[in-house]
Amino acid sequence: MLRNIFISLFVVLGLAVSGVNASQPPVYAEDGVAINGYDPVAYLEHITAVEGEDEFSFEWMGATWKFSSQENLDKFMASPEDYAPQYGGYCAYAVAKGYTATTDPDAFTVHDGKLYLNYSQWVSRLWRLNMTRFIEQGDENWPGVLE
């Protein structure tokens, strides 16, 4: 039990340190590419992480979004708010706790038709333990955590 508490504190502190920056952009984008270059439409429609292709890309919210097909690109272009991840693609758990953190493309949850990304598989499991409460907290904290 004590070991689990220590691990939880280590993860939370690690996320907090990784999220400390002056002002964050509204979309998590490494080198200008949103959500690690993965296709947001594939997450929601196929419940799987699929890498996007350079040939199917779109500039939105100051970042380049990549897609695995022209069909997915077209869907996103028609309604980006329906497909973009919550909290700009930052770790949903971190946002719920009041800071930002990067994400792992394979650490995700689709809930009520919305995409939530997390820092790691382990954090994703923590997220799912009390997702409803974390979503409420994240919604309260977003976008204030970017400042």
Side-chain angles (χ1 to χ4, degrees), residues 66-132:
K66 293 185 178 184
F67 304 88
S68 58
S69 69
Q70 184 64 51
E71 178 183 1
N72 285 4
L73 169 59
D74 292 343
K75 287 178 181 181
F76 188 87
M77 287 175 59
S79 187
E81 294 84 8
D82 290 343
Y83 294 102
Q86 300 303 291
Y87 317 127
Y90 289 96
C91 174
Y93 180 84
V95 171
K97 295 298 183 181
Y99 49 88
T100 62
T102 61
T103 57
D104 173 348
D106 293 316
F108 71 95
T109 305
V110 174
H111 178 73
D112 287 341
K114 295 180 180 180
L115 172 61
Y116 298 89
L117 298 169
N118 289 116
Y119 175 77
S120 68
Q121 295 285 340
W122 193 82
V123 171
S124 192
R125 286 191 291 277
L126 280 176
W127 163 259
R128 285 189 218 111
L129 289 175
N130 204 346
M131 188 171 25
T132 301

Side-chain angles (χ1 to χ4, degrees), residues 3-22:
R3 181 176 182 260
N4 288 342
I5 292 171
F6 176 75
I7 291 171
S8 295
L9 287 172
F10 178 75
V11 169
V12 170
L13 289 173
L15 289 174
V17 170
S18 71
V20 174
N21 283 343

Side-chain angles (χ1 to χ4, degrees), residues 35-52 66 68 72 104-110 115 117 121:
I35 64 171
N36 297 296
Y38 278 70
D39 183 339
V41 176
Y43 279 116
L44 287 161
E45 295 200 350
H46 305 290
I47 317 300
T48 189
V50 177
E51 280 190 81
K66 293 185 178 184
S68 58
N72 285 4
D104 173 348
D106 293 316
F108 71 95
T109 305
V110 174
L115 172 61
L117 298 169
Q121 295 285 340

